[in-house]
Amino acid sequence: LMGQMMQMPLLISSLITHAARHHGDTEIVSKRVEGDVHRCTWVDVELRARKLAQALARLGCEAGDRVGTLAWNGYRHLEIYYASSGSGLVCHTVNPRLFPEQIAWIVNDAEDRVLCFDLTFLPLVEKLAAQLPTVRHFVAMTDRAHMPAQTSVPNLLCFEELVEAENGDYRWPSFDENTASSICYTSGTTGNPKGAVYSHRSSLLHAMAAALPDGMALAARDTVLPVVPMFHVNAWGLPYASALTGCRVVFPGPHLDGKSLYELFEAERVSFSAGVPTVWLGLLTYVKQNGLKFSTFKRTVIGGSACPPAMLKTLEDDYGVEVIHAWGMTEMSPLGTLARLKSKHDALPKEAQRHLQEKQGKVVFGVDMAIVGDDGGMQPWDGKSSGDLLVRGPWVIDRYFKQTASPLHDGWFPTGDVATIDADGYMQITDRSKDVIKSGGEWISSIELENIAMAHPGVHEAAVVAAFHPKWDERPLLVVVPKPGVELTRAQLLAHYEGRIAKWQIPDDVVFVAEIPHTATGKIQKMRLREQLKDHKLPTT
Amino acid sequence: LMGQMMQMPLLISSLITHAARHHGDTEIVSKRVEGDVHRCTWVDVELRARKLAQALARLGCEAGDRVGTLAWNGYRHLEIYYASSGSGLVCHTVNPRLFPEQIAWIVNDAEDRVLCFDLTFLPLVEKLAAQLPTVRHFVAMTDRAHMPAQTSVPNLLCFEELVEAENGDYRWPSFDENTASSICYTSGTTGNPKGAVYSHRSSLLHAMAAALPDGMALAARDTVLPVVPMFHVNAWGLPYASALTGCRVVFPGPHLDGKSLYELFEAERVSFSAGVPTVWLGLLTYVKQNGLKFSTFKRTVIGGSACPPAMLKTLEDDYGVEVIHAWGMTEMSPLGTLARLKSKHDALPKEAQRHLQEKQGKVVFGVDMAIVGDDGGMQPWDGKSSGDLLVRGPWVIDRYFKQTASPLHDGWFPTGDVATIDADGYMQITDRSKDVIKSGGEWISSIELENIAMAHPGVHEAAVVAAFHPKWDERPLLVVVPKPGVELTRAQLLAHYEGRIAKWQIPDDVVFVAEIPHTATGKIQKMRLREQLKDHKLPTT
Ligand SMILES: Nc1ncnc2c1ncn2[C@@H]1O[C@H](COP(=O)(O)O)[C@@H](O)[C@H]1O
């Protein structure tokens, strides 16, 4: 017997039509590359997306064609999201912080037909244009007045002119919900970047899960400021989840420094945000230095890297901002787990609740996970046994773009993370498989050591890598960026570990640096750090 | 280009496996028909559901077969939900409050193979068994010790014996997500009851939407007490949404009076509940009379009938319980709209916010709605123009069970409700089409008149029906149940309307009664009331 319900495919166009129809005058506020603040509504975004869909068709785009973007978070970027996916094209956000050669490689691998970019990236596109044979049209995301007088980009089109030339007399098409909606590349540590191809179905299911109370908890009452870039796994799904819930959205544009963010949070009465730890570091430093408070900011998702416990504590205790620690990856759309409490934890003392919040958390419905040992056997969920973390679910990739070999093991996607899971299903990342420190056959979690260092009042940022040791093979080496004006010593830092961790896990040495290298998406570049420190001689050898 | 994501059908079995795996020791508490309180966990429910699936197969049930229930809210009922749907059978909850002839008609129309029932309904089943030719097995939902010594029900089976005989070595099967999962009959005011056949897909999408912050806002921290019966549109989806979010669940069993509910709310630290207004009327009366407060109860969904504004105010202002007014229907799984605020309403004075909360609200993502006039033309969303309310969405029925004629108009399902929609998408039911009072060609909302009466301190319950009038065709007639010990006069009540509504809309007369007739699901039986009062002579004629 079949159900007798209406058959309606899960399409991204249904998100924007919902937002326009039921949250029409809710604002989308954008700090523009042009320097000003722009205001529009969900009705405007939907209408302009329809016009843009017409324009893309007029430029010759056909179902399945990729539309590339090199852009900050802003309303035009949002319009491209909906115009492309909504009309059956594939939205391909490219990370502009990558090396130019990598950008060219990615655009060519995706075979982008159109490339839209913020004016910030004009010099970059000028440099690359000749190397991008699949791109038929370059579109500057600006108006006529701001178009460059001269450029080497061939036949550069103006975004606003394209939109204004159309009448909006366009109906979003209906098609198979498993059709590709967007593509996002992840820069592996080895080999070339690999593309994850999301579908309309996976994006919608992910957006619903992301908006759940134990997800990001998004409601129409929220004003959302996505700090996480729209070129980073679709800003963790926020452009979709915001339309789904009818949130008010504030896009920060290119300036993500503490001062710019704080002023925007206050001016636009932001209630919710999301981003990587590095960003909150900058924001907190600014707020602390200037003795400021947040007046409307209530909660934030922190993910992309482990949220240092000290940051969690500061945000919650000193600033009243609830921290939702989350874990995910490009291959997961990206949401996997969030550190949310259960009913039985209500009675726990604050300290114990904090301990759970510091973990990467429990899966949101849709995702399942498991940990396996070196032999591939399932590890117990005891909060101690660690293993390679596997995941599966309807918004986890089945394979990479253009790759025939399946990345799956027995139907599970191997994350490359090493984790423990406790009896209540709280997962904690102890390392990246590649970053684990193996000392005398025992695993030491670099993340745990980093968190302890980050809790020291004089530490701005910390990383721990493996250094060669003739006896133990590897021993932990702590790399520290001190806070401005603070004097730190090796002895102070090592003493700080005492009582906080087993003696044999305490780092052997400390290196002070002015800066720790980060990837384009804000993660610490452990490989590079190891490379830089490969000749470091431990005092213990 | 197709997405390259894992293909996983949306199946009801994935809800219970998620709950068992990630919220395994979270409690399911049930007040039993046997009189005691029973405690188990999501792990127990999942294991027993697997055993029950084995037992149902052993009884000869095959894919698509209907498993009927006549039962209160409890863990065994929950196990039947998951065992039947999860294994490819169809869960058919029957409303035991219907007239016996209707129950027989419904069971026969659905062709139930198995009928499971709480001991409460043994006399009913004894009376009906001979009239139910499709039912091959009758199952008493109890243990051996409580089985009736003697019964006329042929070959009566014992639920616990069936479960205990199996080993649980069963894997939930995978199949098309559009397969029927459950069926629920709606008793129209005319004609025979009609069945809505839900699918796994529609039930899962509905459960996700129901759990959203602008839905019922369910999180693992919640303890949910579904007062709404599991035979009423699957308890509004709560048995699914609770597993999805890993809530703690408290089932009230048969006793839904104010005292029983209050004691359960307190003893089990309930945070969330849902039910029809009548239930809250009883609970509030009890709490008020005994000068009590709620210590953990934080929010409740009120729907199924319009929530009287006075009830909303009392719950929120006097008891600190947030009221979420919701509208839906059997044909909609049932969730359609909820009265939730938007970001722009944050600055509104309490009074104005209340005004919005009193409406039936805005659609949750997935559902769309429209209002049409007598000519079928779309009515404007101005909060004034009313029209027949149409809906559509992936959890709205496409047709009724066994009916070939489509109930849809142009792809929309006509709800039989009459409503206005304001510019912000807030829908307000002004009447049911068949209930509208049309006075001199103008519509008068009986609900509005009822709400005003309900706000009078002496009124316990009120209903307004159309009475015949030689000049105006129909005029409103107010029917009132006074509060115990209160003396009310016609003149007082009519004076109460002055200044609250246009003069021509004030009821022409008042009838005092001891009780207003309700349907089995707690709605006022307007048809019956009109029938009772059909000879009433208005003083204005
Ligand atoms: N919040 C509400 N306000 C007014 N009427 C409601 C509400 N919720 C449900 N109803 C009525 O109940 C009908 C659905 O009944 P049922 O299918 O039995 O759930 C709707 O079509 C409405 O007429």
Side-chain angles (χ1 to χ4, degrees):
Chain A
L1 186 69
M2 298 310 279
Q4 301 179 356
M5 310 303 285
M6 291 187 185
Q7 285 296 340
M8 301 198 151
L10 299 172
L11 295 178
I12 282 177
S13 57
S14 66
L15 294 171
I16 191 70
T17 50
H18 170 80
R21 204 165 151 79
H22 299 284
H23 301 274
D25 67 356
T26 297
E27 262 188 335
I28 312 296
V29 181
S30 307
K31 270 253 211 175
R32 288 204 280 202
V33 173
E34 289 91 340
D36 56 349
V37 170
H38 175 268
R39 291 171 191 280
C40 62
T41 66
W42 282 113
V43 159
D44 299 329
V45 170
E46 197 267 344
L47 174 60
R48 283 166 51 94
R50 262 186 283 137
K51 291 184 177 182
L52 185 55
Q54 290 180 302
L56 289 168
R58 197 178 301 275
L59 292 178
C61 288
E62 288 170 13
D65 279 354
R66 271 74 74 196
V67 177
T69 67
L70 280 166
W72 305 113
N73 292 5
Y75 68 105
R76 291 191 187 113
H77 205 170
L78 187 67
E79 288 160 6
I80 297 171
Y81 264 56
Y82 283 104
S84 57
S85 304
S87 67
L89 307 176
V90 180
C91 183
H92 175 209
T93 54
V94 185
N95 185 342
R97 291 180 185 144
L98 297 174
F99 294 114
E101 303 72 45
Q102 260 183 314
I103 293 177
W105 190 93
I106 287 172
V107 170
N108 288 328
D109 189 64
E111 300 169 50
D112 292 344
R113 269 303 130 89
V114 175
L115 186 62
C116 306
F117 58 91
D118 271 335
L119 283 180
T120 321
F121 307 112
L122 179 64
L124 177 68
V125 176
E126 284 176 336
K127 193 154 86 183
L128 292 179
Q131 303 166 44
L132 308 174
T134 66
V135 177
R136 300 221 190 111
H137 306 279
F138 293 92
V139 180
M141 292 163 62
T142 190
D143 53 20
R144 173 51 47 196
H146 291 83
M147 284 294 279
Q150 272 206 337
T151 176
S152 63
V153 178
N155 299 317
L156 184 61
L157 299 171
C158 167
F159 186 94
E160 290 300 327
E161 283 191 338
L162 286 178
V163 169
E164 281 156 25
E166 305 294 337
N167 61 11
D169 184 7
Y170 178 86
R171 279 176 73 92
W172 298 110
S174 187
F175 42 76
D176 185 338
E177 67 188 30
N178 290 301
T179 303
S181 59
S182 67
I183 182 167
C184 194
Y185 279 75
T186 174
S187 312
T189 35
T190 54
N192 281 318
K194 288 180 289 226
V197 187
Y198 311 116
S199 70
H200 287 256
R201 175 182 167 100
S202 73
S203 301
L204 256 80
L205 292 176
H206 178 269
M208 289 192 95
L212 286 173
D214 277 342
M216 306 199 198
L218 297 176
R221 277 187 99 152
D222 279 310
T223 293
V224 173
L225 188 148
V227 178
V228 49
M230 290 171 76
F231 51 77
H232 189 191
V233 212
N234 297 325
W236 300 352
L238 283 171
Y240 303 132
S242 299
L244 188 149
T245 53
C247 293
R248 185 164 167 271
V249 184
V250 178
F251 286 119
H255 303 296
L256 305 179
D257 59 287
K259 181 170 190 295
S260 303
L261 280 181
Y262 177 78
E263 288 171 359
L264 201 53
F265 273 66
E266 290 299 304
E268 297 298 336
R269 307 186 57 76
V270 170
S271 64
F272 172 84
S273 188
V276 295
T278 324
V279 167
W280 305 120
L281 218 55
L283 182 62
L284 280 175
T285 304
Y286 176 78
V287 172
K288 221 176 281 180
Q289 275 173 357
N290 295 277
L292 303 167
K293 293 269 164 204
F294 297 105
S295 43
T296 57
F297 187 26
K298 285 284 164 298
R299 47 188 220 291
T300 186
V301 166
I302 299 186
S305 304
C307 172
M311 179 180 288
L312 199 160
K313 192 166 148 48
T314 303
L315 272 165
E316 294 204 347
D317 295 351
D318 301 350
Y319 296 99
V321 178
E322 185 194 357
V323 172
I324 305 155
H325 188 197
W327 168 86
M329 56 196 306
T330 305
E331 290 88 340
M332 299 178 72
S333 306
L335 226 53
T337 62
L338 300 106
R340 294 290 207 161
L341 302 184
K342 298 184 175 188
S343 57
K344 70 172 182 181
H345 299 135
D346 260 355
L348 282 185
K350 188 82 202 142
E351 186 87 354
Q353 292 185 343
R354 237 341 119 65
H355 188 64
L356 288 168
Q357 286 176 274
E358 290 167 5
K359 298 192 176 201
Q360 274 71 17
K362 56 194 180 61
V363 293
V364 70
F365 172 75
V367 174
D368 198 2
M369 63 183 173
I371 42 176
V372 293
D374 285 343
D375 57 353
M378 291 285 174
Q379 295 285 90
W381 290 20
D382 56 13
K384 291 190 189 78
S385 311
S386 70
D388 288 313
L389 181 64
L390 312 178
V391 292
R392 65 178 173 200
W395 53 86
V396 178
I397 64 159
D398 181 60
R399 59 185 191 281
Y400 290 103
F401 187 50
K402 289 186 174 173
Q403 302 219 345
T404 43
S406 168
L408 308 190
H409 293 175
D410 235 358
W412 292 88
F413 178 82
T415 63
D417 285 316
V418 175
T420 61
I421 305 178
D422 70 17
D424 290 323
Y426 286 77
M427 186 272 285
Q428 184 161 31
I429 303 276
T430 54
D431 243 314
R432 292 287 301 167
S433 331
K434 302 168 287 293
D435 296 339
V436 159
I437 298 159
K438 224 163 186 180
S439 174
E442 295 288 342
W443 285 9
I444 300 176
S445 160
S446 60
I447 293 175
E448 203 176 349
L449 298 181
E450 284 160 6
N451 284 341
I452 293 170
M454 289 292 283
H456 188 288
V459 171
H460 177 72
E461 195 168 15
V464 171
V465 294
F468 171 73
H469 192 285
K471 179 169 177 194
W472 304 108
D473 187 24
E474 291 181 356
R475 287 297 301 158
L477 169 61
L478 173 63
V479 186
V480 161
V481 181
K483 286 211 176 131
V486 175
E487 297 244 326
L488 280 177
T489 66
R490 174 180 184 277
Q492 280 170 344
L493 284 166
L494 296 187
H496 176 69
Y497 279 95
E498 265 158 39
R500 291 194 163 87
I501 199 154
K503 259 206 149 43
W504 65 273
Q505 297 185 330
I506 297 180
D508 284 23
D509 202 5
V510 184
V511 175
F512 294 98
V513 296
E515 205 182 346
I516 285 176
H518 289 95
T519 66
T521 54
K523 296 184 215 287
I524 293 174
Q525 274 185 309
K526 291 280 181 85
M527 275 237 305
R528 199 143 147 232
L529 211 51
R530 276 196 294 266
E531 180 61 28
Q532 284 173 10
L533 296 163
K534 73 173 185 300
D535 296 326
H536 185 83
K537 204 174 165 324
L538 293 172
T540 49
T541 59
Chain B
L1 185 69
M2 298 308 280
Q4 301 179 356
M5 309 303 284
M6 291 188 184
Q7 285 295 340
M8 301 197 151
L10 300 172
L11 296 179
I12 281 176
S13 57
S14 67
L15 294 171
I16 191 70
T17 50
H18 170 80
R21 204 166 150 79
H22 299 284
H23 301 273
D25 67 357
T26 297
E27 263 188 334
I28 312 296
V29 181
S30 307
K31 272 254 212 178
R32 288 205 278 202
V33 173
E34 290 91 340
D36 57 349
V37 170
H38 175 270
R39 289 171 192 280
C40 62
T41 66
W42 283 114
V43 159
D44 300 329
V45 170
E46 197 266 345
L47 174 60
R48 283 165 52 92
R50 261 186 283 135
K51 292 184 176 182
L52 184 57
Q54 291 180 301
L56 289 167
R58 197 180 300 276
L59 292 177
C61 288
E62 286 170 13
D65 279 355
R66 270 74 73 197
V67 176
T69 68
L70 279 166
W72 305 113
N73 292 6
Y75 68 105
R76 291 192 186 111
H77 206 171
L78 186 68
E79 287 160 6
I80 297 171
Y81 264 57
Y82 283 105
S84 57
S85 305
S87 67
L89 306 175
V90 179
C91 183
H92 174 209
T93 54
V94 185
N95 185 342
R97 291 181 186 146
L98 297 175
F99 295 112
E101 302 70 46
Q102 257 183 319
I103 293 179
W105 190 92
I106 287 172
V107 170
N108 288 328
D109 190 64
E111 302 170 50
D112 292 343
R113 270 300 131 89
V114 174
L115 186 62
C116 306
F117 59 91
D118 271 334
L119 284 180
T120 321
F121 307 113
L122 180 65
L124 176 68
V125 175
E126 285 174 335
K127 192 155 89 183
L128 293 179
Q131 303 166 43
L132 308 175
T134 65
V135 177
R136 303 222 188 111
H137 304 281
F138 293 92
V139 180
M141 292 162 64
T142 190
D143 53 20
R144 172 51 50 195
H146 291 81
M147 284 295 280
Q150 272 206 338
T151 175
S152 63
V153 178
N155 299 317
L156 184 59
L157 299 170
C158 167
F159 186 94
E160 289 300 326
E161 283 192 336
L162 286 178
V163 169
E164 280 156 26
E166 305 294 338
N167 61 10
D169 184 7
Y170 178 87
R171 277 178 72 94
W172 298 111
S174 186
F175 41 75
D176 184 338
E177 67 188 30
N178 290 302
T179 303
S181 59
S182 67
I183 182 167
C184 194
Y185 280 75
T186 175
S187 313
T189 35
T190 53
N192 280 318
K194 288 179 288 224
V197 187
Y198 311 116
S199 70
H200 286 256
R201 174 181 167 100
S202 72
S203 301
L204 257 79
L205 293 176
H206 178 268
M208 289 193 95
L212 287 174
D214 277 341
M216 307 199 198
L218 297 175
R221 277 187 98 152
D222 279 309
T223 293
V224 173
L225 188 148
V227 178
V228 49
M230 290 170 76
F231 51 75
H232 190 192
V233 213
N234 296 325
W236 301 350
L238 283 171
Y240 304 132
S242 298
L244 188 148
T245 53
C247 294
R248 185 164 167 270
V249 184
V250 178
F251 287 120
H255 303 297
L256 304 179
D257 60 287
K259 182 171 189 297
S260 304
L261 280 181
Y262 177 78
E263 287 171 0
L264 201 54
F265 273 68
E266 289 299 304
E268 296 298 336
R269 306 187 56 77
V270 170
S271 65
F272 172 84
S273 188
V276 295
T278 323
V279 166
W280 306 119
L281 218 56
L283 182 62
L284 280 176
T285 303
Y286 176 78
V287 172
K288 220 176 280 181
Q289 274 171 357
N290 295 276
L292 303 166
K293 292 270 163 200
F294 296 105
S295 44
T296 58
F297 187 26
K298 285 285 164 299
R299 47 187 221 292
T300 187
V301 167
I302 299 187
S305 303
C307 173
M311 178 180 288
L312 198 160
K313 191 167 151 46
T314 303
L315 272 165
E316 294 205 346
D317 293 352
D318 301 350
Y319 296 98
V321 178
E322 185 194 356
V323 172
I324 306 156
H325 187 198
W327 166 86
M329 55 195 309
T330 307
E331 291 88 338
M332 299 178 72
S333 305
L335 226 52
T337 62
L338 299 105
R340 295 288 208 163
L341 302 184
K342 299 184 174 186
S343 57
K344 71 171 180 181
H345 298 135
D346 260 355
L348 282 185
K350 187 82 202 142
E351 186 87 353
Q353 292 186 342
R354 246 327 128 65
H355 188 66
L356 289 169
Q357 287 176 274
E358 291 167 4
K359 297 192 177 200
Q360 274 71 16
K362 57 194 179 63
V363 293
V364 70
F365 172 75
V367 174
D368 198 3
M369 63 184 172
I371 41 176
V372 292
D374 285 342
D375 58 353
M378 292 285 174
Q379 296 283 91
W381 290 19
D382 56 13
K384 292 192 189 78
S385 311
S386 70
D388 288 312
L389 181 64
L390 311 178
V391 291
R392 65 178 174 199
W395 53 84
V396 178
I397 64 159
D398 181 59
R399 59 184 190 280
Y400 289 102
F401 187 50
K402 291 185 173 173
Q403 303 217 347
T404 43
S406 168
L408 308 190
H409 294 174
D410 236 358
W412 292 87
F413 178 81
T415 63
D417 287 317
V418 176
T420 60
I421 305 178
D422 70 16
D424 290 322
Y426 286 78
M427 185 273 285
Q428 183 160 31
I429 304 274
T430 53
D431 233 315
R432 299 211 53 168
S433 344
K434 33 199 168 289
D435 219 352
V436 165
I437 299 161
K438 220 165 192 182
S439 176
E442 292 286 351
W443 279 357
I444 300 176
S445 160
S446 57
I447 294 175
E448 203 175 344
L449 298 181
E450 284 160 10
N451 284 340
I452 293 171
M454 290 291 282
H456 187 285
V459 171
H460 176 72
E461 192 168 14
V464 172
V465 294
F468 172 74
H469 193 284
K471 182 168 177 192
W472 304 106
D473 188 25
E474 288 181 2
R475 288 298 301 158
L477 170 60
L478 173 63
V479 186
V480 161
V481 182
K483 287 212 174 129
V486 174
E487 296 243 351
L488 279 178
T489 66
R490 174 181 183 276
Q492 278 170 345
L493 284 165
L494 295 186
H496 177 68
Y497 278 95
E498 267 164 38
R500 291 193 162 86
I501 198 152
K503 256 202 152 45
W504 65 271
Q505 298 185 329
I506 296 180
D508 284 18
D509 204 3
V510 184
V511 175
F512 294 97
V513 296
E515 204 182 348
I516 284 174
H518 289 96
T519 65
T521 55
K523 293 184 215 293
I524 293 176
Q525 276 184 306
K526 288 285 180 82
M527 277 239 303
R528 194 140 152 236
L529 210 52
R530 275 198 293 266
E531 179 64 26
Q532 283 173 11
L533 295 164
K534 71 175 188 296
D535 295 323
H536 185 83
K537 203 173 167 321
L538 293 173
T540 47
T541 60

